[in-house]
Amino acid sequence: MTDWGPVFVAVVLFIILTPGLLIQIPGRNRVVEFGNFQTSGVSIVVHSIIYFALICIFLLAIQIHMYVGS
């Protein structure tokens, strides 16, 4: 059996936290902008820190596991 939990969590968080796709923190004109499909260097750094924090919480603290048997 293989553990697909970390892969699933990483892919979902990557899609959700892609800067400019759903949300951008900080935005170009406001602090938070939704769905503007633009990004900046500061936004990439902020989203990377949030991604790292959430992936650590989900994988290390909560220990999410999804097993697929063959």
Side-chain angles (χ1 to χ4, degrees):
M1 292 193 304
T2 57
D3 185 11
W4 285 94
V7 175
F8 180 74
V9 169
V11 168
V12 168
L13 284 177
F14 182 80
I15 292 170
I16 291 173
L17 291 174
T18 300
L21 185 61
L22 297 177
I23 188 171
Q24 181 178 349
I25 304 171
R28 293 193 183 264
N29 300 325
R30 291 181 255 156
V31 176
V32 177
E33 291 183 359
F34 297 96
N36 63 356
F37 296 106
Q38 297 176 355
T39 189
S40 65
V42 177
S43 178
I44 292 170
V45 171
V46 170
H47 282 257
S48 298
I49 293 169
I50 293 171
Y51 178 84
F52 178 74
L54 288 177
I55 201 95
C56 287
I57 290 170
F58 285 127
L59 297 184
L60 300 176
I62 300 176
Q63 297 181 358
I64 293 179
H65 299 285
M66 292 172 41
Y67 294 104
V68 178
S70 55

